[in-house]
């Protein structure tokens, strides 16, 4: 009751403070006008807390927003709240929008001015304008991208009443044309900014003769439109010669006559130039009009002197948008586990998703097959088009961009096919590769960046440019280039030349050591791997640059190369795997560690040779052969403390959780990390695999229970889905342990207040909660033999057995208890293949107890 009074008092105080001044009508109308855009664009979590922190809304307001079940209802409630708050809250709202990535909509609200003279077009009128202008309809599986569409619309409004250019530039297939069409498919844009309508011109790659035809076609369309407008506004009959004007005969004449025609008769017309490839097209259509351009090469606009607003379109869409595209195309409401993996393999590329989706629509049972095709890179040239794209295959769409390069630049671009996916290349790597000046490399890559064939980023800390290539383009290059091994060899030869063929002298440029084994293997230079990766001096250099885990990964991945050096390979791999945690610390001397290896091993002998040449003292462990070692492998997985680990059912994987708020899944055999999951504000304390290894159950210290779907395809691992449940709302009760029943139907949690929480995993809901002990429960475990039998062990020195039933009113029933300990029981488990249990306590005793009769 007191809480509600406090909220009411705060509500009334803030209300009175903010209503000292009434929000002006223009601001209220701005919120009303852009209400739908706010609902579509705004993520409530981006703005709600900042608004509360700046006292623009009260606790009561925030709770009212959060009580709404759907995101769009939450945003709608927030907008209504801001609208009645007053000018101070409204100004804070605008500030929060600007600070959290919504500058475009903040700008629209700030610059809004009510114009009572504007007549709003009806939906039917808008549809007619779009149809007459040749604007493409929405493609199959269309999913809106509201932030980008809103940004484009605001840019279009900015050129109202003045001629200017809006340019959407991005990689082929990233959705530029769809976004442009959606931006103009808007009642307010056409009613307020472009009352003269819209004309859509598809350009493509054209020579001068085809460009003239495009200009002539636009001229004829505008002449016909002018004639029809004249007849509507006049009772007289239009003379025949007025609409039978001869066509322009050259590009310059066409530009001049279009400029005059538009300037005198269509001052509020918007022309869309779709798929522009050359600056010659832009120069020809420079008719002092409102222009919206889509292009893969932002450099085409360099010839324009008017105002140009550029909007870059990233190659991929967000994961949720990509999944909705697949849903729309395949008409599938619930997507299979493979869908998330397909989206990630497509890198969110709209054209690839459309092509995959069109195939899945015809073959709905082939999700796994098409995922495998994407992984094996068999998708670039084999996939036929869906109806909404102009290219027959993805290969054709990508080839258009590459073929537009001159021969010398194209050959350099083909050189990039040797690099791996998702790699950022320092400029100095290409300087070595091509034997060029760094300035020449930067100039060439800048041109490729303008055409969206590579991504260019300046690294401020390193003071150099880094470059990366989209996976789709890399796949295309690899399919196109037929001498990859030769190019890998040329790349390596440049580096070997610099270090006189001694890899121990190789200079680190931030790239070469990380990908050295990849290039050596691809160039078929296995003898260099064998020679250097079994050389302790090189290993010392290598670990200094990339770390021991990378070295261990190399031994596992390229094991076949060492087939005739199996004994030495085993010795080096064992040395690294058992010392990886020590080698991660600079205080450890690798030679001294190697001197602790068995005296008959190659590692030991090489260490002795190195030690004899170095100044200083080393210790030789003379009785090493008398001390057996049972350690198989040591791995450092977390940046903080490792809190818990569990094996998968088949024993090939392990999951671990740490104080760094990360859960990692890794290979037991190679110690390679397969994937990682961040747990947010609180660290995970337990993580366990399901019986089929297709789900990972995770519980965090603050009582959040999550189920993550897992999918493994060849060597790649995907987290395909997530469901989350808040198990405990008591912020003073920390979860201590989690156990999963043998059939995965139940999850049990125990906490420091003595409660056991039973969760139905299939429905992802809390089924029951029961006070099992008066003090903290330290551990719990389901019986491996009986799926409904669970034990709990507590600080009260008692171990109890319980039966759990999801369908009965009395869901958690005590079977028996064991009270032989005199101190808190810290751990208790069932003996495998038995209902007997073993418990350990702080009284220094371990008890084995028989199963209940």
């Amino acid at each position: 009751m007191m809480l509600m009074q406090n909220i009411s008092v705060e509500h009334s105080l803030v209300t009175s403070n903010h209503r000292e001044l009434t929000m002006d009508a223009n601001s209220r109308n701005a919120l009303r006008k852009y209400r739908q855009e706010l609902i579509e664009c705004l993520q409530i979590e981006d703005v709600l807390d900042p608004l509360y922190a700046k006292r623009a809304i009260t606790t009561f307001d925030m709770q009212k927003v959060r009580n709404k079940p759907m995101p769009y209802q939450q945003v709608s409630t927030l907008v209504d709240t801001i609208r009645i708050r007053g000018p101070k809250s409204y100004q804070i709202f605008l500030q929060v929008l600007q600070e959290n990535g919504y500058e475009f909509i903040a700008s629209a609200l700030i610059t809004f001015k009510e114009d009572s003279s504007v007549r709003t077009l009806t939906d039917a009128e808008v549809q007619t304008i779009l149809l007459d202008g040749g604007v493409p309809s929405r493609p199959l599986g269309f999913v809106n991208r509201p932030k980008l569409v809103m940004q484009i619309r605001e840019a279009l409004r900015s050129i109202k009443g003045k001629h200017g250019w809006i340019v959407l530039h991005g990689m082929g297939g990233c959705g530029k044309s769809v976004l442009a069409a959606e931006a103009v498919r808007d009642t307010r844009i056409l009613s307020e900014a472009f009352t003269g309508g819209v004309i859509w011109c598809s350009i493509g790659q054209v020579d001068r003769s085809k460009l003239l035809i495009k200009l002539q076609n636009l001229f004829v369309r505008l002449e016909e439109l002018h004639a029809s407008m004249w007849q509507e506004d006049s009772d007289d009959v239009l003379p025949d010669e007025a609409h039978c004007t001869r066509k322009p005969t050259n590009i310059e004449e066409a530009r001049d006559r279009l400029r005059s025609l538009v300037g005198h008769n269509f001052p509020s017309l918007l022309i869309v130039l779709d798929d522009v490839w050359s600056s010659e097209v832009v120069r020809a259509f420079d008719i002092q009009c409102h222009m919206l351009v889509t292009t893969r090469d932002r450099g085409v606009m360099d010839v324009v002197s008017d105002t140009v607003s550029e909007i870059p379109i990233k190659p991929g869409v967000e994961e949720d948008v990509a999944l909705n595209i697949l849903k729309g195309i395949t008409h599938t409401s619930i997507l299979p586990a493979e869908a998330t993996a397909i989206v990630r393999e497509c890198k969110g590329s709209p054209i690839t998703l459309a092509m995959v989706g069109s195939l899945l629509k015809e073959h709905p049972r082939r999700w796994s097959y098409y995922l495998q095709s994407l992984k094996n890179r068999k998708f670039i040239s084999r996939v036929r088009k869906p109806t909404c794209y102009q290219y027959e295959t993805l290969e054709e769409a990508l080839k258009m961009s590459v073929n537009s390069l001159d021969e010398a630049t194209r050959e350099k671009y083909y050189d990039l096919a040797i690099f791996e996916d998702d790699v950022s290349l320092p400029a100095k790597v290409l300087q070595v590769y091509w034997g060029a000046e760094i300035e020449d490399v930067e100039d060439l890559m800048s041109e490729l960046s303008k055409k969206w064939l590579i991504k260019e980023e300046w690294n401020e800390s390193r003071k150099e440019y880094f470059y990366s290539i989209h996976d789709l383009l890399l796949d295309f290059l690899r399919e196109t280039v037929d001498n990859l091994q030769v190019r890998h060899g040329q790349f390596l030869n440049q580096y070997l030349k610099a270090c006189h063929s001694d890899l121990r002298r190789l200079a680190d440029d931030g790239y070469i050591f990380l990908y050295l084994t990849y290039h050596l293997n691809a160039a078929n230079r296995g003898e260099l791997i064998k020679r250097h990766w079994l050389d302790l001096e090189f290993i010392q250099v290598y670990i200094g640059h990339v770390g021991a885990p990378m070295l261990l990964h190399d031994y596992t991945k390229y094991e076949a190369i060492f087939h005739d050096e199996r004994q030495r390979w085993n010795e080096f791999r064992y040395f690294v795997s058992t010392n990886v945690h020590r080698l991660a610390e600079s205080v450890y001397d690798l030679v001294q560690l190697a001197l602790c290896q068995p005296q008959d091993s190659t590692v030991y002998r090489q260490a002795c040779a190195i030690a004899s040449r170095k100044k200083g003292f080393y210790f030789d462990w003379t009785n090493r052969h008398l001390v057996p070692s049972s350690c198989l492998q040591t791995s450092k997985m977390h940046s903080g403390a490792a809190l818990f680990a569990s094996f998968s059912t088949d024993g090939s994987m392990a999951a671990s959780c740490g104080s760094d708020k990360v859960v990692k899944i890794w290979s037991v055999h190679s110690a390679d990390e397969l994937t990682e999951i961040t747990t947010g504000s609180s660290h995970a304390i337990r993580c366990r695999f399901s019986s089929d290894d297709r789900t990972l159950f995770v519980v965090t210290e603050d009582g959040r229970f999550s189920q993550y779907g897992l999918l493994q395809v060849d060597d790649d691992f995907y987290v395909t889905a997530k469901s989350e449940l808040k198990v405990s709302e008591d912020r003073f009760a920390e979860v201590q342990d989690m156990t999963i029943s043998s059939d995965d139907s139940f999850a049990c949690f125990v906490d420091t207040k003595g409660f056991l929480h039973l969760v139905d995993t299939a429905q992802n809901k809390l089924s029951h909660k029961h006070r099992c002990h008066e003090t903290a429960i330290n551990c719990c475990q389901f019986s491996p033999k009986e799926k409904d039998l669970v034990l709990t062990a507590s600080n009260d020195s008692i171990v109890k057995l319980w039966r759990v039933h999801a369908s009965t009113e009395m869901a958690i029933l005590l079977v028996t208890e064991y009270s032989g300990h005199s101190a808190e029981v810290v751990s208790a488990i069932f003996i495998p293949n038995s209902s007997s249990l073993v418990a350990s306590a702080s009284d220094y005793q371990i008890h084995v107890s028989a199963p209940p009769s």
Side-chain angles (χ1 to χ4, degrees):
M1 190 69 181
M2 182 64 69
L3 175 63
M4 289 306 297
Q5 288 175 351
N6 289 341
I7 291 175
S8 299
V9 170
E10 181 194 358
H11 182 236
S12 62
L13 284 173
V14 176
T15 300
S16 62
N17 289 339
H18 283 270
R19 285 181 176 171
E20 292 177 0
L21 294 171
T22 305
M23 187 188 299
D24 62 89
N26 192 72
S27 298
R28 288 199 305 274
N29 289 335
L31 279 175
R32 186 182 298 113
K33 175 180 177 179
Y34 291 104
R35 178 190 182 88
Q36 190 59 38
E37 281 85 351
L38 286 163
I39 290 172
E40 290 179 354
C41 296
L42 221 55
Q43 297 292 322
I44 196 69
E45 296 304 328
D46 290 343
V47 298
L48 195 60
D49 288 340
L51 286 170
Y52 178 71
K54 294 175 184 288
R55 299 183 65 80
I57 60 173
T58 67
T59 306
F60 177 81
D61 296 329
M62 188 159 68
Q63 195 60 45
K64 185 170 65 173
V65 171
R66 291 197 185 281
N67 284 341
K68 298 297 180 182
M70 302 300 291
Y72 74 88
Q73 294 172 324
Q74 293 177 339
V75 177
S76 177
T77 303
L78 177 64
V79 172
D80 291 340
T81 301
I82 294 296
R83 193 161 55 85
I84 64 174
R85 275 273 162 242
K88 184 176 179 181
S89 288
Y90 181 63
Q91 291 304 316
I92 294 173
F93 178 61
L94 295 175
Q95 180 185 351
V96 168
L97 289 177
Q98 291 172 322
E99 292 172 352
N100 291 276
Y102 299 95
E103 298 90 343
F104 53 93
I105 199 164
S107 174
L109 291 166
I110 291 169
T111 58
F112 172 78
K113 283 187 172 39
E114 186 71 26
D115 186 355
S116 57
S117 65
V118 174
R119 184 184 77 82
T120 302
L121 297 170
T122 65
D123 290 342
E125 288 173 322
V126 169
Q127 204 58 34
T128 301
I129 290 171
L130 297 176
L131 189 64
D132 290 346
V135 177
S137 57
R138 287 171 174 160
L140 178 67
F142 169 80
V143 175
N144 196 16
R145 296 159 73 178
K147 281 189 177 182
L148 272 173
V149 171
M150 179 66 185
Q151 187 179 355
I152 298 166
R153 286 175 180 167
E154 284 312 303
L156 289 170
R157 286 190 180 97
S158 71
I159 59 172
K160 175 186 175 182
K162 57 183 179 182
H163 49 81
W165 301 75
I166 309 299
V167 183
L168 312 185
H169 58 88
M171 177 180 158
C174 69
K176 302 181 295 294
S177 301
V178 174
L179 286 166
E182 189 61 23
V184 301
R185 192 178 287 110
D186 180 69
T187 302
R188 286 196 293 271
I189 281 285
L190 296 177
S191 300
E192 299 167 8
F194 305 113
T195 54
V198 179
I199 289 185
W200 188 281
C201 300
S202 296
I203 306 298
Q205 290 184 319
V206 292
D207 56 21
R208 286 185 64 84
S209 60
K210 290 182 179 178
L211 176 57
L212 177 58
I213 293 172
K214 299 281 185 184
L215 291 163
Q216 289 173 335
N217 289 343
L218 176 60
F219 182 82
V220 170
R221 288 169 71 180
L222 291 177
E223 279 281 288
E224 290 174 349
L225 184 59
H226 178 226
S228 63
M229 290 166 56
W230 195 90
Q231 287 180 321
E232 288 176 5
D233 295 338
S234 172
D235 294 331
D236 299 330
V237 177
L238 188 71
D240 288 342
E241 60 272 15
H243 57 82
C244 295
T245 310
R246 67 171 181 84
K247 294 179 182 180
T249 57
N250 58 64
I251 291 174
E252 289 72 22
E253 181 189 355
R255 181 181 59 233
D256 293 341
R257 291 176 66 181
L258 279 169
R259 186 176 295 166
S260 174
L261 182 59
V262 169
H264 287 93
N265 302 294
F266 301 98
S268 57
L269 173 71
L270 174 66
I271 297 176
V272 182
L273 303 180
D274 183 39
D275 196 24
V276 173
W277 285 81
S278 72
S279 55
E280 186 178 13
V281 172
V282 175
R283 191 182 291 108
F285 278 92
D286 187 7
I287 57 175
Q288 297 182 358
C289 181
H290 309 103
M291 289 286 187
L292 175 59
V293 177
T294 72
T295 180
R296 303 186 191 192
D297 182 0
R298 67 177 185 269
V300 300
M301 302 305 301
D302 292 344
V303 297
V304 173
S305 58
D306 284 340
T307 302
V308 177
S309 297
E310 293 186 3
I311 301 177
I313 310 299
K314 294 180 179 179
V317 297
E318 296 82 1
E319 189 168 292
D320 57 339
V321 174
L323 290 170
N324 284 332
I325 290 174
L326 285 180
K327 282 183 180 179
I329 295 175
T330 60
H331 303 301
T332 306
S333 56
I334 301 177
L335 296 172
E338 291 84 358
T340 302
I342 284 175
V343 164
R344 291 175 185 171
E345 287 296 331
C346 292
K347 300 291 183 180
S349 164
I351 187 173
T352 315
L353 288 166
M355 290 179 172
V356 177
S358 67
L359 292 170
L360 287 168
K361 182 183 178 184
E362 295 181 13
H363 307 286
R365 297 180 181 178
R366 294 186 180 179
W367 288 86
S368 295
Y369 170 76
Y370 289 125
L371 172 58
Q372 192 66 52
S373 295
L374 283 164
K375 283 183 55 57
N376 294 339
R377 305 303 196 240
K378 295 178 179 178
F379 220 76
I380 297 295
S381 58
R382 299 184 182 182
V383 181
R384 56 184 176 76
K385 68 168 184 176
T387 55
C388 60
Y389 282 94
Q390 67 187 90
Y391 304 108
E392 290 292 337
T393 64
L394 186 55
E395 179 187 34
E396 183 183 335
L398 301 176
K399 186 186 290 185
M400 295 284 283
S401 292
V402 178
N403 285 352
S404 68
L405 303 172
D406 63 74
E407 187 175 349
T409 305
R410 185 162 60 246
E411 191 59 31
K412 284 285 190 291
Y413 190 60
Y414 285 153
D415 282 341
L416 304 181
I418 67 170
F419 298 106
E420 283 208 287
D421 296 350
D422 305 316
V423 171
S424 289
L425 292 169
K428 63 180 67 172
V429 172
L430 298 174
Q431 181 186 14
V432 174
Y433 187 12
W434 291 330
E437 296 293 333
I438 193 71
E439 291 79 10
D440 293 335
V441 170
E442 291 174 354
D443 290 345
L444 173 64
M445 299 303 280
S446 178
E447 286 303 310
L448 294 175
S449 174
K450 288 181 179 180
K451 299 178 184 298
W452 282 84
L453 290 170
I454 58 106
K455 182 180 179 182
E456 179 184 60
E457 291 181 299
W458 174 255
N459 187 306
E460 184 59 34
S461 62
R462 296 274 298 270
K463 302 296 182 184
E464 63 178 322
Y465 283 105
F466 277 72
Y467 308 103
S468 57
I469 313 173
H470 195 279
D471 288 1
L472 290 174
L473 285 163
L474 265 180
D475 293 341
F476 167 75
L477 290 177
R478 289 167 187 153
E479 285 196 8
T480 304
V481 176
D482 57 5
N483 57 348
L484 279 176
Q485 182 176 318
V486 173
R487 291 179 192 260
H488 277 284
Q490 292 168 346
F491 175 79
L492 283 170
N493 287 338
Q494 292 292 93
Y495 275 95
L496 290 170
K497 180 181 176 182
C499 69
H500 305 288
S501 298
D502 184 353
L503 295 180
R504 292 173 297 184
R505 301 179 181 178
L506 195 60
D508 184 26
D509 56 13
Y511 172 85
I512 188 59
F513 278 103
L514 289 169
Y515 297 96
L516 184 54
T517 46
Y518 161 72
H519 288 292
L520 286 168
N521 184 63
N524 198 25
R525 300 296 299 273
E527 79 283 355
L528 287 176
I529 296 178
K530 189 161 44 179
R531 182 199 313 165
H532 288 85
W533 270 250
L534 299 180
D535 180 333
L536 201 60
E537 286 188 280
F538 172 76
I539 286 173
Q540 191 165 22
V541 173
Y542 191 68
I543 288 176
H545 292 300
V546 301
M550 174 71 84
L551 177 61
L552 187 59
H553 168 83
D554 291 343
Y555 284 133
T556 304
K557 184 172 182 178
Y558 301 105
E559 178 181 351
I561 291 175
F562 302 91
H563 64 91
D564 56 349
E565 290 281 6
R566 195 72 184 176
Q567 178 63 32
R568 294 173 66 200
W569 174 83
N570 273 323
E571 291 168 356
F572 273 89
R573 186 186 183 282
Y574 178 78
F575 167 61
V576 174
S577 64
T578 54
N579 287 284
V580 67
H581 59 303
R582 298 186 181 96
L583 293 170
E585 305 292 337
S586 58
V587 295
Y588 285 96
D589 188 310
L590 181 136
V591 176
Q592 182 63 73
L593 290 173
L595 286 170
C596 296
Q597 295 298 295
Q599 292 180 352
D600 60 348
S601 75
T602 305
V603 177
Y604 174 82
R605 290 195 296 270
Q606 288 190 16
C608 288
I610 296 171
S612 67
R613 299 194 302 267
K614 295 181 72 173
K615 293 181 180 180
F617 292 95
Y618 284 95
F619 293 92
D620 192 1
W621 189 359
T622 57
N623 67 336
R624 170 69 181 81
H625 63 284
L626 299 177
V627 183
S629 175
S630 59
C631 179
L632 298 177
Q633 182 169 285
T634 306
S635 301
K636 184 174 176 62
M637 288 293 166
H638 296 272
S639 58
L643 304 175
F644 184 81
S646 63
F647 287 102
S648 60
T649 306
D650 66 5
S652 66
M653 299 180 292
S656 59
C657 47
S659 60
D660 54 3
K661 300 178 183 178
V662 173
V663 175
K664 296 199 175 186
I665 301 175
W666 41 282
S667 166
V668 170
H669 304 298
S670 66
D672 286 346
E673 182 182 318
L674 301 176
T675 191
E676 70 174 32
I677 300 165
T678 55
T679 58
S681 59
S682 181
H683 64 259
I685 61 163
R686 294 291 183 271
C687 50
R688 299 188 188 276
F689 289 92
S690 61
S691 57
D692 61 1
D693 294 334
R694 298 187 68 176
T695 304
L696 185 70
F697 303 102
V698 176
V699 65
T700 57
E701 189 180 34
D702 61 357
R704 286 179 291 115
F705 170 62
S706 301
Q707 301 182 58
Y708 296 93
L710 306 177
L711 177 66
Q712 187 166 11
V713 183
D714 296 336
D715 295 330
D716 291 326
F717 209 85
Y718 304 93
V719 177
T720 59
K722 175 189 175 183
S723 60
E724 185 172 288
L725 173 68
K726 183 72 171 174
V727 178
S728 174
E729 297 293 342
D730 188 346
R731 62 191 179 95
F732 298 107
E734 293 182 0
V735 174
Q736 296 279 82
D737 197 8
M738 170 185 70
T739 182
I740 308 295
S741 62
S742 58
D743 64 351
D744 303 325
S745 59
F746 294 123
C748 271
F749 309 87
V750 291
D751 63 28
T752 52
K753 290 288 189 73
F755 281 96
L756 183 149
H757 308 260
L758 181 65
V759 171
D760 183 331
T761 57
Q763 299 185 41
N764 195 43
K765 71 174 185 178
L766 184 63
S767 179
H768 297 284
K769 177 181 177 182
H770 185 68
R771 186 75 176 267
C772 295
H773 296 264
E774 293 302 317
T775 58
I777 303 175
N778 295 317
C779 66
C780 59
Q781 188 192 22
F782 271 106
S783 166
K785 290 188 67 177
E786 302 177 64
K787 67 180 183 179
D788 60 347
L789 185 65
V790 65
L791 68 79
T792 57
S794 171
N795 281 352
D796 59 11
S797 75
I798 298 173
V799 178
K800 296 182 180 181
L801 291 183
W802 306 86
R803 293 282 180 192
V804 297
H805 303 279
S807 58
T808 59
E809 186 174 342
M810 195 63 179
I812 303 175
L813 303 172
L814 180 64
V815 176
T816 190
E817 62 181 55
Y818 304 92
S819 55
H821 288 284
S822 60
E824 63 268 21
V825 181
V826 294
S827 179
I829 61 169
F830 284 100
I831 297 174
N833 303 316
S834 169
S835 293
S836 298
L837 58 92
V838 58
S840 62
S842 297
D843 57 7
Y844 305 106
Q845 295 184 19
I846 295 175
H847 290 188
V848 178
S849 305
S853 56

